[in-house]
Amino acid sequence: MTQPATPEFLATLEAALPPVTLRARREGELEDPRGRHHGQAATVARPGTVEEVATILRLCNAAGVGVVPLGGGTGLVLGQVAYEGPAPVVLSLERMTRIRGVYPEENVIVAEAGAILASVQEAAVEADRLFPLSLGAEGSCRLGGNLSTNAGGLNVLRYGNARELCLGIEAVLPDGQIFHGLKRLRKDNTGYDLRNLLIGAEGTLGVITAAAMRLYPRPEQEAAAVLAVPSPAAALQLLNLAQGIAGEGISAFELISGVGLDFLAEKMPDLRQPFDVPPEWSVLIDLGVSGGADPAEMLAHLFEHAFEAGLVTDGVIAQSETQRQDFWAMRESIPEGNKRVGSISSHDISIPLSRIAEFIPDGVARLAELGDVRVNAFGHLGDGNLHYNVFPAKGRDRSDYENIRAEVKRVVHDLVAAYDGSFSAEHGVGRLKAEDLERYGDPAKLSAMRAIKAALDPKGIMNPGAVLRG
Amino acid sequence: MTQPATPEFLATLEAALPPVTLRARREGELEDPRGRHHGQAATVARPGTVEEVATILRLCNAAGVGVVPLGGGTGLVLGQVAYEGPAPVVLSLERMTRIRGVYPEENVIVAEAGAILASVQEAAVEADRLFPLSLGAEGSCRLGGNLSTNAGGLNVLRYGNARELCLGIEAVLPDGQIFHGLKRLRKDNTGYDLRNLLIGAEGTLGVITAAAMRLYPRPEQEAAAVLAVPSPAAALQLLNLAQGIAGEGISAFELISGVGLDFLAEKMPDLRQPFDVPPEWSVLIDLGVSGGADPAEMLAHLFEHAFEAGLVTDGVIAQSETQRQDFWAMRESIPEGNKRVGSISSHDISIPLSRIAEFIPDGVARLAELGDVRVNAFGHLGDGNLHYNVFPAKGRDRSDYENIRAEVKRVVHDLVAAYDGSFSAEHGVGRLKAEDLERYGDPAKLSAMRAIKAALDPKGIMNPGAVLRG
């Protein structure tokens, strides 16, 4: 258990840091997106350098005061929402936003943890490179949070998640030691992989302060299509066919459910949709290629073959960059449509690719036993990652389902476990899924995690209550 | 310090395992490739199942007896050669060689840690897929060793190293707990990354017993060229140009030094070389593409542009698969040529890509101050990874240089550190480079490594003396 931040402690902290560093918690900050919990903050510390981060951690560690690292605050699993225990010091990276260096000839960018994801993308574009990490919150989430949660998003199929894009990190360990691991190397086999241990640890083992990330050449030509498919199984066969035609040129392959399109038609009627009647299943496929190839032609070729094989029933290939952006606007509006309808329970799951088509209807059938619900299953099919969200029947409200909410979640996660899947594909564990981790996590892994946590953070100051409960 | 394996202990071990499990150490096994050290073994245990591995570790842990995991025994840094302290139990994976499953529709293969790398590649080909990990020792090294050392090899540029190819592992922790982490998922953010902690830990934190590895579609067309370049800097510009033409189709981009070709001409005169007079620098570039593209045409196009730009001075594009294989035979014979000449000191280093061209002659100049030596700098240029090996002047022998050997190594590794590089890009630390790790490793990282080691292996039984010294 951590200690309260006493007035004396806060005075010591303030005295040890430049005057601008501490601020009060802002209205609306550190809130649960579901509105159930409120994050606490004894103070919000905004260090400007890695040395100041080290000072904060050293003082907090000495006093046993909890520290909750804060990036953009867009996380969905309460990793930044410390609603229990003594109010911690919230360590916001908001002032550490520098791009420290861009190395186009190495395909590397070095940025501080507080850099907004979109600004890292922009710095890459200015050097005629692509930083491929891309997700809905990219205008406000920060690189350090992306790494601490091992963010995924839209381009994982081709470029990997945050972990796979990271070559090196600078970080502060719970006792205030600075790990200078900001290597720009593709290969470095010198000891335990501390970088990957901190990535995805959700701020419970230290604070990532900067990172060296991979860049890629920008594809010369891009093209997108929305193709209606008879089933998720057909969508997977379509992916295989597409890989044969476009190889590694497939940047994204997203499954879209008719349920989600119905939500958009109902709640956001001005949004342009590619089909007059939303198909039960469709996929958004995005290609980016270089070397003189024509991705629109590849898509036409794919459509033709897939249509003959019965894998697609209809389709629209974007005729302009504007239309391609419309497709993406539709895809990226699905979470907002979901929000306006109001889910009973949402799940960020992954399933082995060969079983995902079977899983989708299996889940629907089991949920039907609990009540009259609608399932919007959508997302990064190419990665085996679905957002499998459960909604009220048409005309009913989520409040009608309060009594079965826990059971809905349990049924989905039990089924995910039975399919050898994951109950958190890309969002992380945070505080929301700490109990799921205890239930579904491998016991040896949990025991190793607890031993590592105790070894690196013996006082348990780092993000207390997140990932591993006390 | 670990305990000796007493006759009583060995009797207990034998009784707890099936009769065939224990064997004596074989002649020539566990030897230092440099001939300086001899690995010890109180017994060689050959478990057939993960449960038997768990039994061995549980008993050794209880008795404080050291355990040295053994794959193919091809490691170059003495990770498997325990030449000091009490003779350990050598735990050989030689009987755990099963391919547990191939999932072509998921692009995944699940294999046991004792599977020979080449047999994993073959199982992939049988399913019309590519398992891209490829290195000189592939006919005898084993998958578990590849993972424990995070092996690199020839295709890292395109497909990543062993770490990046691995989706999940099954492993036994030092206390005998079995970690069931054999997930076939591309995305799984549920707690600390125990998989990546064990990968590259060189058997000091547990024993990897099986792994789920990524497969890829097999490129439909392959082509290769050897191009003479005026300098390593030109080679890097050539790589950039090639990436513009062939995108992600570049499977390998290997730098070859004229010094290495001279060695081959002298020691292996029957080996076919592409040029009559070995150029001072050349690169072997290998393309693999699909979707109807013609890689030989791409290479011709590359040659034309690069020649105009002064980046290549001569070149041979393979006219047949046989000629392509000849190019690779030449590349893969370089280590054998080196061995026959006899190096003073060999270094497996990586340097940030933008500084590697500067590093190569800088190192040569500094080494010239120590004595009359030749440097064969070759390898995976696209990854920033060079084998930077130092040889006697023509007509002299390595024994003439015994007095400067330590200094040669020190000069190279100091310079690598000054260039923000790594003293072990792909071979690992083992026992050979444990002192380098202490000297060049980040202090915070070393302190975290020691804490993790003590937490997971409090008695220090796993591969004692490797990576972290006592």
Side-chain angles (χ1 to χ4, degrees), chain B residues 47-294:
Chain B
T49 65
V50 63
E51 290 77 15
E52 290 169 26
V53 176
T55 299
I56 295 165
L57 263 56
R58 204 168 47 241
L59 290 173
C60 287
N61 194 43
V65 171
V67 178
V68 174
L70 179 64
T74 61
L76 295 169
V77 291
L78 310 184
Q80 73 284 32
V81 180
Y83 59 85
E84 285 178 325
V89 170
V90 170
L91 192 157
S92 168
L93 279 304
E94 68 198 58
R95 286 179 56 236
M96 290 186 67
T97 58
R98 275 200 313 141
I99 304 293
R100 290 201 192 156
V102 186
Y103 306 85
E105 69 283 31
E106 298 181 11
N107 278 317
V108 174
I109 188 167
V110 178
E112 291 186 341
I116 300 281
L117 175 52
S119 73
V120 182
Q121 295 167 347
E122 282 158 23
V125 167
E126 278 168 30
D128 194 27
R129 291 291 182 275
L130 171 72
F131 180 59
L133 190 67
S134 174
L135 48 143
E138 64 196 27
S140 49
C141 66
R142 297 179 192 269
L143 183 62
N146 297 146
L147 286 165
S148 292
T149 60
N150 186 25
L154 300 168
N155 293 326
V156 175
L157 178 65
R158 179 169 186 169
Y159 299 104
N161 49 20
R163 181 188 301 291
E164 287 154 339
L165 294 172
C166 180
L167 296 172
I169 59 170
E170 175 191 87
V172 181
L173 300 181
D175 62 1
Q177 285 189 86
I178 300 174
F179 167 39
H180 295 282
L182 214 47
K183 300 260 185 184
R184 309 198 309 268
L185 305 172
R186 310 265 155 177
K187 290 165 91 174
D188 178 21
N189 280 350
T190 54
Y192 303 164
D193 192 356
L194 193 56
R195 161 175 53 109
N196 274 315
L197 189 62
L198 287 167
I199 293 173
E202 305 183 39
T204 64
L205 297 177
V207 181
I208 295 171
T209 52
M213 306 295 295
R214 290 175 194 260
L215 300 177
Y216 287 84
R218 298 173 73 190
E220 284 164 17
Q221 303 288 334
E222 295 178 305
V226 180
L227 305 177
V229 294
S231 65
L236 282 164
Q237 290 177 274
L238 180 67
L239 173 60
N240 252 301
L241 197 62
Q243 282 168 333
I245 290 168
E248 287 140 342
I250 305 169
S251 302
F253 193 89
E254 298 281 308
L255 182 71
I256 298 170
S257 160
V259 175
L261 296 181
D262 286 344
F263 289 177
L264 290 181
E266 184 189 335
K267 300 292 182 183
M268 302 169 78
D270 294 340
L271 193 84
R272 215 187 300 267
Q273 291 205 20
F275 300 105
D276 294 335
V277 179
E280 191 180 349
W281 296 105
S282 53
V283 298
L284 169 52
I285 177 169
D286 200 90
L287 302 186
V289 299
S290 295
D294 180 347

Side-chain angles (χ1 to χ4, degrees), chain A residues 106 187-188 192 354 422 424, chain B residues 106 188-189 204 350 354 422:
Chain A
E106 297 181 10
K187 290 165 91 172
D188 178 20
Y192 303 163
S354 65
S422 168
S424 185
Chain B
E106 298 181 11
D188 178 21
N189 280 350
T204 64
S350 63
S354 65
S422 168

Side-chain angles (χ1 to χ4, degrees), chain A residues 334-355:
Chain A
I334 293 173
E336 180 59 25
N338 288 345
K339 206 172 151 185
R340 296 193 190 177
V341 173
S343 76
I344 303 167
S345 182
S346 297
H347 315 93
D348 163 42
I349 61 173
S350 63
I351 301 287
L353 269 183
S354 65
R355 305 200 65 194

Side-chain angles (χ1 to χ4, degrees), chain B residues 316-347:
Chain B
V316 187
I317 298 173
Q319 297 302 310
S320 64
E321 180 57 23
T322 307
Q323 199 178 6
R324 176 170 169 260
Q325 294 303 331
D326 281 349
F327 291 172
W328 275 109
M330 171 194 70
R331 163 62 186 91
E332 300 208 51
S333 297
I334 292 173
E336 180 60 26
N338 288 344
K339 206 171 151 189
R340 296 196 190 175
V341 173
S343 76
I344 302 165
S345 182
S346 297
H347 315 92

Side-chain angles (χ1 to χ4, degrees), chain A residues 103-107 129 149-153 156 158-159 161 163-164 167 173 175 177-181 183-197 199-202 204-205 214 216-217 220 240 243-249 288 290-292 298 349-355 380 382-385 419-429 437 440 442-453 455-456 466-468, chain B residues 103-107 129 149-153 156 158-159 161 163-164 167 173 175 177-181 183-197 199-202 204-205 214 216-217 220 240 243-249 288 290-292 298 349-355 380 382-385 419-429 437 440 442-453 455-456 466-468:
Chain A
Y103 306 85
E105 70 282 32
E106 297 181 10
N107 279 318
R129 290 293 182 274
T149 59
N150 185 24
V156 175
R158 179 167 186 171
Y159 298 104
N161 49 20
R163 181 188 303 289
E164 286 154 338
L167 296 172
L173 300 181
D175 62 1
Q177 284 190 87
I178 299 174
F179 167 40
H180 295 283
K183 300 259 185 182
R184 309 199 308 269
L185 305 172
R186 311 265 153 177
K187 290 165 91 172
D188 178 20
N189 280 350
T190 53
Y192 303 163
D193 191 357
L194 193 55
R195 162 174 51 108
N196 274 316
L197 189 61
I199 293 173
E202 306 184 38
T204 64
L205 297 176
R214 289 176 195 260
Y216 286 84
E220 285 163 15
N240 252 302
Q243 283 169 332
I245 291 169
E248 286 140 341
S290 295
M298 286 176 175
I349 61 173
S350 63
I351 301 287
L353 269 183
S354 65
R355 305 200 65 194
H380 322 303
D383 311 317
N385 176 196
Y419 276 75
D420 280 331
S422 168
F423 65 86
S424 185
E426 59 175 9
H427 293 166
V429 175
L437 181 61
Y440 301 107
D442 177 72
K445 175 173 172 175
L446 283 170
S447 131
M449 284 175 62
R450 290 200 184 94
I452 292 165
K453 170 74 175 175
L456 296 183
V467 186
L468 291 170
Chain B
Y103 306 85
E105 69 283 31
E106 298 181 11
N107 278 317
R129 291 291 182 275
T149 60
N150 186 25
V156 175
R158 179 169 186 169
Y159 299 104
N161 49 20
R163 181 188 301 291
E164 287 154 339
L167 296 172
L173 300 181
D175 62 1
Q177 285 189 86
I178 300 174
F179 167 39
H180 295 282
K183 300 260 185 184
R184 309 198 309 268
L185 305 172
R186 310 265 155 177
K187 290 165 91 174
D188 178 21
N189 280 350
T190 54
Y192 303 164
D193 192 356
L194 193 56
R195 161 175 53 109
N196 274 315
L197 189 62
I199 293 173
E202 305 183 39
T204 64
L205 297 177
R214 290 175 194 260
Y216 287 84
E220 284 164 17
N240 252 301
Q243 282 168 333
I245 290 168
E248 287 140 342
S290 295
M298 286 176 175
I349 62 173
S350 63
I351 302 287
L353 268 184
S354 65
R355 306 199 66 195
H380 321 302
D383 311 317
N385 177 196
Y419 275 75
D420 281 330
S422 168
F423 64 85
S424 184
E426 60 175 7
H427 294 167
V429 175
L437 181 62
Y440 301 107
D442 177 72
K445 175 173 171 174
L446 284 169
S447 131
M449 284 175 60
R450 290 200 184 93
I452 291 165
K453 171 74 175 174
L456 296 184
V467 186
L468 291 170

